[in-house]
Amino acid sequence: MTGLLFQDFVCWFDARMIGREVLLIVENCPAHPNRRFYSSILEGYEIGEINPEKINVLDAIHFINAAWNIDVKPTTIANYFRHCKI
């Protein structure tokens, strides 16, 4: 994710939230499938399909599954609990 791509995304998101009050939380937790979501958007840019709305529920399930089974390491979970003092 580059700054320019993120700025494009925020503009796209903002244009669709007209008349609504929303809070956009941006973070880099590997437990969230954001990285895979953004990768799929970037792949779409490369082949000329620039439409993040095309991601369906099955895609989201695959992103979540990969995030938990591939991206999240036991040390990540341990660090989270240590940070929360649990």
Side-chain angles (χ1 to χ4, degrees):
M1 175 61 69
T2 66
L4 187 58
L5 278 175
F6 183 73
Q7 185 177 4
D8 287 346
F9 168 75
V10 171
C11 289
W12 171 85
F13 182 79
D14 187 52
R16 282 152 182 77
M17 297 297 116
I18 294 173
R20 301 182 204 177
E21 292 185 19
V22 298
L23 173 65
L24 177 63
I25 299 174
V26 180
E27 42 73 34
N28 64 354
C29 176
H32 301 163
N34 295 336
R35 186 175 0 176
R36 295 187 185 280
F37 172 74
Y38 292 132
S39 292
S40 71
I41 290 173
L42 291 174
E43 288 171 8
Y45 273 109
E46 290 174 359
I47 61 172
E49 289 183 9
I50 307 169
N51 188 354
E53 295 170 349
K54 288 183 89 173
I55 293 177
N56 58 35
V57 174
L58 182 59
D59 292 333
I61 290 169
H62 288 303
F63 293 153
I64 293 166
N65 183 48
W68 273 106
N69 292 318
I70 297 170
D71 298 334
V72 177
K73 308 288 185 252
T75 54
T76 303
I77 296 169
N79 288 340
Y80 172 79
F81 280 98
R82 185 173 36 257
H83 178 75
C84 293
K85 301 192 183 343
I86 296 176

